[in-house]
């Protein structure tokens, strides 16, 4: 049964990208375990506003696990202690009366803090712009069945396409590496005939952009896969390595 | 070929191939050590006539040394770059993400191996090939006897065991990670190459450790 619980939240506060941050501790009373984690933060912000203080800044949008905006490092886990969900899908049920909950922003050189819990993830957009697309010449829409695709490939491409680009992989990685994200984006196209055409160019450009933006070298610790809310497999990283090496040896 | 330096995947491929090359060398080295259990004379014949200061043995030694230097150099570069990519601010709630212990400690495990390798080179290689090559007096040609002398000291055996336990952990992650890095992995092969990695690591490390203990206890040169 859901109860009302009293909790302490330790939240990272930072006025701006260049400012030095610190933790603030807040007490919250009678939080329903039926509420979501972000609703709990909404209640905290209401409380802060009523006290005349500045509310905590955090990213969120769809609040149903599809947009990839929410991004909190909660008690040692990106997206909190639950499995295979985003922060917005996390419930207060996962916490007990009297708990202290530590809430931090994603931390990596590639994702600098903008304010409080909000980080700058435009690096991912830049990686996508570098090649994470299929150039389409518009015209009549061909019949889907005219291009046969093996079921296994279609499934694997679909699994890779489940990536919402939230950045939990980078946040979890001790190397601040973005390989799981890039691997998912390269794989979802490389597996399909439409994407194969630009596969070599895509792999090279996206990896080059990823390196340029200061993400680390993947050492296959597998932390990304464990924390990914969409269960993206690290075997996609092996595929990215394959695609990249194939492209380089073709040159 | 500049991508082997400039690109993250390129750097990982160098780390991977140099590591796999060292694994092959270790397999060969371990097999040769096992000969000690059976016959010292055969061992000395292999060490002096087949290897010794022959040109191919010298070239081989240089290639292995190059492999080691590249592996360590890249290991240091990768580790430093990754610390930088992590950023200055550390998490206050330390990571609770379950990960294989060895995968997080590859550099430290590498250091353990390095210290062991330096001890080993000083005790064995310096006394044999190095002294022979540079005509320093006292070069040993009785390799098996030299090994037996060193392994009669308990602390040497203990140092070897520690070194190889470090290597075992390094390789249980290193082997599958190396194959993954060169792209040889998928959902089916993931389990297989991890098991294969554990088998290879265990064969290598157990082989070296068993020989060290056997020689220490006198169970060597059995057919001599
Ligand atoms: C005989 C000795 C050694 C062998 C057989 C060996 C083998 C390997 C292998 C197979 C890998 C995996 C490469 C990959 O993930 O792509 C690796 C990674 C690594 N090794 Fe070694 N290694 C040895 C000694 C050392 C030494 C002496 C150091 C450093 C002082 C070192 C540091 C590293 C580092 C930092 C990595 C990267 C971690 C990673 O990618 O997960 N290794 N090693
Ligand atoms: S707010 Fe959209 S995924 Fe969480």
């Amino acid at each position: 049964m859901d109860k009302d619980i009293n909790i302490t939240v330790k939240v990272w506060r930072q006025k701006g990208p260049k400012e030095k941050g610190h933790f603030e501790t807040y007490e919250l009373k009678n939080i329903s375990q039926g509420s979501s984690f972000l609703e709990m933060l909404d209640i905290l912000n209401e409380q802060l506003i009523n006290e005349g203080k500045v509310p905590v800044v955090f990213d969120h949008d769809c609040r149903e696990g599809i947009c990839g905006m929410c991004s909190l490092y909660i008690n040692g886990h990106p997206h909190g202690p639950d499995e295979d969900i985003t922060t917005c899908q996390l419930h207060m049920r996962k916490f007990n009366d009297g708990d202290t909950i530590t809430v931090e922003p994603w931390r990596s050189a590639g994702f600098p803090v903008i304010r409080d819990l909000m980080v700058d993830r435009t690096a991912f957009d830049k990686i996508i712009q570098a090649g994470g697309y299929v150039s389409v010449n518009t015209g009549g829409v061909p019949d889907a069945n005219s291009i046969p695709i093996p079921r296994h490939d279609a499934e694997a491409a679909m699994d890779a396409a489940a990536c919402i680009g939230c950045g939990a992989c980078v946040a979890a990685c001790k190397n601040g590496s973005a390989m799981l994200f890039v691997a998912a984006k390269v794989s979802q196209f490389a597996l399909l005939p439409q994407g194969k055409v630009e596969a070599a160019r895509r792999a090279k450009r996206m990896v080059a952009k990823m390196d340029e933006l200061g993400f680390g070298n993947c050492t296959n610790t597998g932390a990304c896969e464990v924390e990914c809310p969409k269960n993206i497999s690290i075997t996609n990283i092996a595929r990215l390595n394959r695609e990249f090496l194939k492209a380089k040896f073709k040159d | 070929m500049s991508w082997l330096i400039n690109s993250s995947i390129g750097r990982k491929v160098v780390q991977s191939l140099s590591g796999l090359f060292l694994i092959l060398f270790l397999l060969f080295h371990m097999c040769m050590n096992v000969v000690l259990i059976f016959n010292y004379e055969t061992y000395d014949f292999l060490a002096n006539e087949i290897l010794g200061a022959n040109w191919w043995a010298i070239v081989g030694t240089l290639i292995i040394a190059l492999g080691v230097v590249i592996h360590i150099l890249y290991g240091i570069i990768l580790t430093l770059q990754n610390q930088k990519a992590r950023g200055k601010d550390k998490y206050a709630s330390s990571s609770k993400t379950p990960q294989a212990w060895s995968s997080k400690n590859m550099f430290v495990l590498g250091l353990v191996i390095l210290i062991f390798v330096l001890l080993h080179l000083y005790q064995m290689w310096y006394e044999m090939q190095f002294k022979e090559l540079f005509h320093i007096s006292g070069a040993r040609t009785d390799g098996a006897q030299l090994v037996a002398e060193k392994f009669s000291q308990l602390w040497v055996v203990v140092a070897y065991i520690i070194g190889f336990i470090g290597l075992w952990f390094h390789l249980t992650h290193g082997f599958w990670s190396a194959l993954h890095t060169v792209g040889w992995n998928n959902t089916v092969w993931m389990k297989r190459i991890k098991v294969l990695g554990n088998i290879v690591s265990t064969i290598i490390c157990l082989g070296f450790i068993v020989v060290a203990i056997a020689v220490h206890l006198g169970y060597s040169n059995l057919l001599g």
Side-chain angles (χ1 to χ4, degrees), chain A residues 10 12 23 73-78 102 104-110 170-176 179 207 210-211 214-221 223 226-227 233-235 237-238 240-242 244-245 248-249, chain B residues 1 3 6-13 77-79 81-87 89-100 103-105 173 176-188 190 194:
Chain A
K10 236 176 95 185
W12 183 257
F23 279 102
Y73 197 87
I74 304 160
N75 282 354
H77 294 279
T102 308
E104 302 172 72
W106 284 174
R107 294 200 188 284
S108 93
V170 178
C173 178
K174 83 172 181 54
N175 308 320
M179 280 287 271
V207 169
M210 166 185 89
D211 292 342
F215 293 101
N217 309 286
C218 171
T219 64
N220 307 318
T221 68
V226 175
E227 299 293 0
S233 159
I234 58 169
T235 52
I237 295 181
L240 168 61
N241 291 335
R242 244 179 351 254
F244 181 84
L245 293 176
K248 284 295 181 188
F249 284 123
Chain B
M1 295 305 267
W3 60 275
N6 297 332
S7 144
S8 60
I9 297 182
R11 287 187 292 269
K12 277 310 307 280
V13 166
I77 294 172
L78 289 173
T79 306
Q81 285 181 334
N82 288 348
Q83 274 174 358
K84 187 161 164 254
R86 196 75 201 83
D89 288 316
K90 300 276 172 278
Y91 287 117
S93 52
S94 68
S95 169
K96 301 231 170 19
T97 309
Q99 297 160 68
S103 75
K104 289 189 292 184
N105 293 287
H173 176 71
W176 82 262
S177 171
L179 295 185
H180 192 87
T181 298
V182 293
W184 190 36
N185 203 359
N186 58 33
T187 42
V188 178
M190 178 68 95
K194 280 189 175 172

Side-chain angles (χ1 to χ4, degrees), chain B residues 114-131:
Chain B
L114 181 64
I115 293 170
F116 162 76
V117 167
L118 291 178
L119 170 77
H120 167 71
L121 289 179
Y122 174 70
Q123 284 195 328
M124 311 283 185
W125 173 74
Y126 174 75
E127 293 292 332
M128 297 177 69
Q129 197 187 44
F130 187 85
K131 280 191 173 173

Side-chain angles (χ1 to χ4, degrees), chain A residues 63-221:
Chain A
R63 294 206 178 193
E64 54 182 5
I66 53 171
C67 74
M69 271 311 277
C70 55
S71 55
L72 300 176
Y73 197 87
I74 304 160
N75 282 354
H77 294 279
H79 294 304
D82 211 346
E83 296 282 305
D84 305 333
I85 54 153
T86 53
T87 296
C88 60
Q89 295 170 299
L90 177 64
H91 274 80
M92 293 309 292
R93 235 166 258 134
K94 279 276 151 187
F95 302 94
N96 298 313
D97 195 40
D99 277 2
T100 298
I101 306 170
T102 308
V103 192
E104 302 172 72
W106 284 174
R107 294 200 188 284
S108 93
F111 291 159
V113 172
I114 297 173
R115 185 168 182 157
D116 296 342
L117 302 172
M118 182 192 265
V119 298
D120 181 358
R121 282 173 288 174
T122 46
F124 271 13
D125 297 334
K126 289 178 191 151
I127 295 174
I128 293 290
Q129 279 159 12
Y133 50 81
V134 174
S135 311
V136 182
N137 295 316
T138 46
V141 181
D143 182 65
N145 291 321
S146 64
I147 309 172
I149 298 168
R151 184 187 138 77
H152 178 77
D153 289 349
E155 291 287 328
M158 208 52 193
D159 287 346
C163 168
I164 52 175
C166 63
C169 43
V170 178
C173 178
K174 83 172 181 54
N175 308 320
S177 166
M179 280 287 271
L180 192 65
F181 167 74
V182 178
K185 297 302 171 195
V186 163
S187 289
Q188 74 185 30
F189 293 129
L191 284 159
L192 301 178
Q194 295 90 336
K196 280 209 174 92
V197 184
E198 292 166 302
R201 193 185 82 138
R202 180 180 308 115
K204 280 188 292 186
R205 284 205 184 176
M206 289 180 79
V207 169
K209 190 49 103 179
M210 166 185 89
D211 292 342
E212 178 198 319
L213 294 171
F215 293 101
N217 309 286
C218 171
T219 64
N220 307 318
T221 68

